[in-house]
Structure formats: C-alpha cells, structure tokens
Amino acid sequence: NASTWAFQGRYHIGPPLGRRCAKRVKGDCYVLTQSGLFSLNTAMASTNSSLIPGFTDAIAPTFREYASLTGSTYGWCVELLEREKLLLVNVPQQAVGVFNQFAMNLDTGAWTKFSGWDAYDWAVVGSTLYFAGSQRVAKAWQPGGDFGNSITAFARGAYDYLQPRSVNKQVKMMRPNYTLGGAGVASFGLDVDFAVGSDYQNNASTGSSGSVWGTAIWDTSTYATLPTPQLTWQTVAAPPGYCFSSRLRFIGLDATFEWTATDFLFETGAP
C-alpha cells in the first residue's frame, strides 16, 4: 500500500522492445528487450546483469539482428498459450505489414520460426489464440490448415560425424523414423560437412485426410489415416564427407507429424 511502498533496487535487462513488452506469467513477468526475452524474477535475483540467462539465449544472434533492424517498428510483443505450451514473440519484418514469429516450446525450451501470420498483435481469450491482421482478426493454432491452405514445415537435424570421426564416409541410404497421421507429404534431404542444401530428393509416403463430421456420408466417407510409424530405407544422392545432417520438409493440410530419428547406412573411406 502507499504507506509501505518503497524503492528496493535497480535491475538492468536492456531497453524494452515494443509497446507490449511485458507478459505476466503466473508469479513472474516476462520482459521483451533489445537483448532478448527475460524473466523479471530471474533478473531481480541476479547480482550481475551481464550473466542474466534469457529465454532467447539459444537464438541470440538472430534475435539481436531483428531487434536492430526493426526494433522501432510497431508489432513487437510477446504472447503465451499455456494450453499448448507455446510462447510467441511477434517480429516485424522490414517489409511493411509483414511479420514472423519466434516460437518457443515451454517444455523443452526449443525455438522455431513461423511465417505467413502477418499479425500486428496477439491475444488469448479463454484458451483460444487470436491475432490481428491489417484487415481481420483471426483464430490461430486451429486444425484444418492455414486459412484453408496447406502448412509447410522445415526442420534440420544436428550434424553427426558418425564413427569413426576422422575418416570420410559415403552415406548410401537413410531411414527417417517418423509418424504421420492424416494427409501430408514428407520429403527428406541430406547435408554434408555444413554445406546447406535445398533439394529434397527423398519423397516419403502420403497419408489421407478424413471427412468433416456432420456433413460426411455414413458408410461412404472415410476416416483420416491413423498415426502410423514410417520406417523405410531410401537412397541418398550426396557427396562423401565427415559429418551429416538430415533435412525435412513436410507439407500438410490437417495432419499430425512427428519426426523422432534418422538412421544412416554408410561406407567408410580414407582419412
């Protein structure tokens, strides 16, 4: 209250980024700054501002680059969808009206990037996520694709030197281990020695989408393909090298997809 309110201390976490730079999360407050996204509780408990861990430490170079380029542009904000363990940072791009989102899995701390949602602002009502575009307010994180369009996802595995590390290897085949339910197409490629490619010569199997409940014809319409493990060896067109990274492109409209591992069949050569 007014009689006990008093100055307690100063805590440095960098200049705020955007007008909606703070998000209350249970007993904490997440603050979006030009240096990254930080927990206010963690910052207040630290005695060294240069050592405060941030949620965005794993993507710090990319985050700082965007903050430097578009930090003064309207649209920076942070939103949380607790039901899906999803934290979003809205990131204005240099083109007017174009936005990306940095998205973090609250369970694992892993980050990814969303594009195609040109959102000026975000809000959660009840347990539903909404965003405001230039001419509409839309529900996000809904089944059935993205405004009726397929969603394209890209992923890349960590580089693996296989064994032995010190000799050249020629990968002959690869076996992606994944589960697909519903309609979607998964394609895979292979990168060698940190050379990033863009070809997806390994086209994997396709599932099927189901009918819409309440409008489908009984005994005629079909259910969606149940989530099914896929374990198929595929040939690889890649040069020899020392370390390898599998690459994924998945295109789906109303599907579930989970990529868990990739197996390699390779030959060893000279150092």
Side-chain angles (χ1 to χ4, degrees):
N1 56 48
S3 60
T4 60
W5 188 88
F7 175 76
Q8 294 293 319
R10 292 193 176 124
Y11 310 94
H12 178 73
I13 53 175
L17 193 59
R19 296 178 61 185
R20 292 189 58 218
C21 60
K23 179 65 179 179
R24 185 179 64 181
V25 182
K26 298 181 179 178
D28 198 355
C29 179
Y30 294 172
V31 184
L32 190 62
T33 78
Q34 294 178 11
S35 303
L37 181 66
F38 295 91
S39 158
L40 194 59
N41 283 349
T42 301
M44 293 173 65
S46 176
T47 58
N48 189 334
S49 62
S50 63
L51 299 179
I52 298 173
F55 295 107
T56 51
D57 286 353
I59 57 169
T62 302
F63 186 95
R64 287 195 295 266
E65 179 183 2
Y66 277 108
S68 175
L69 290 173
T70 65
S72 60
T73 303
Y74 180 85
W76 285 93
C77 64
V78 57
E79 189 54 79
L80 179 71
L81 184 60
E82 293 192 52
R83 182 191 63 191
E84 302 293 345
K85 302 299 183 182
L86 173 69
L87 184 144
L88 287 175
V89 176
N90 206 47
V91 184
Q93 304 299 289
Q94 289 182 290
V96 177
V98 179
F99 297 84
N100 288 340
Q101 292 78 38
F102 292 148
M104 187 183 78
N105 183 320
L106 291 174
D107 284 336
T108 66
W111 286 91
T112 188
K113 183 176 76 172
F114 295 160
S115 61
W117 285 343
D118 292 328
Y120 284 89
D121 210 345
W122 293 84
V124 173
V125 180
S127 59
T128 302
L129 182 65
Y130 293 86
F131 69 85
S134 60
Q135 296 181 341
R136 62 182 170 185
V137 174
K139 287 183 179 180
W141 211 256
Q142 299 294 308
D146 197 2
F147 298 109
N149 300 315
S150 295
I151 296 174
T152 301
F154 296 93
R156 184 187 308 277
Y159 276 93
D160 192 334
Y161 279 89
L162 307 178
Q163 294 296 332
R165 180 186 177 111
S166 59
V167 301
N168 262 303
K169 277 82 66 175
Q170 175 75 65
V171 174
K172 297 293 186 178
M173 301 185 76
M174 61 187 292
R175 183 175 65 175
N177 296 261
Y178 65 94
T179 301
L180 171 62
V185 179
S187 304
F188 292 86
L190 185 67
D191 291 337
V192 182
D193 291 345
F194 305 101
V196 179
S198 58
D199 60 309
Y200 293 88
Q201 71 271 18
N202 300 311
N203 292 319
S205 60
T206 307
S208 61
S209 59
S211 304
V212 178
W213 185 263
T215 62
I217 300 175
W218 180 261
D219 223 15
T220 300
S221 303
T222 59
Y223 288 99
T225 304
L226 294 175
T228 306
Q230 305 289 332
L231 299 167
T232 304
W233 285 101
Q234 304 170 22
T235 57
V236 176
Y242 290 92
C243 58
F244 305 86
S245 169
S246 50
R247 185 167 17 89
L248 160 74
R249 179 183 65 199
F250 178 75
I251 303 173
L253 180 61
D254 192 2
T256 59
F257 183 85
E258 184 176 355
W259 179 28
T260 54
T262 303
D263 301 320
F264 295 111
L265 180 64
F266 62 94
E267 296 178 349
T268 59

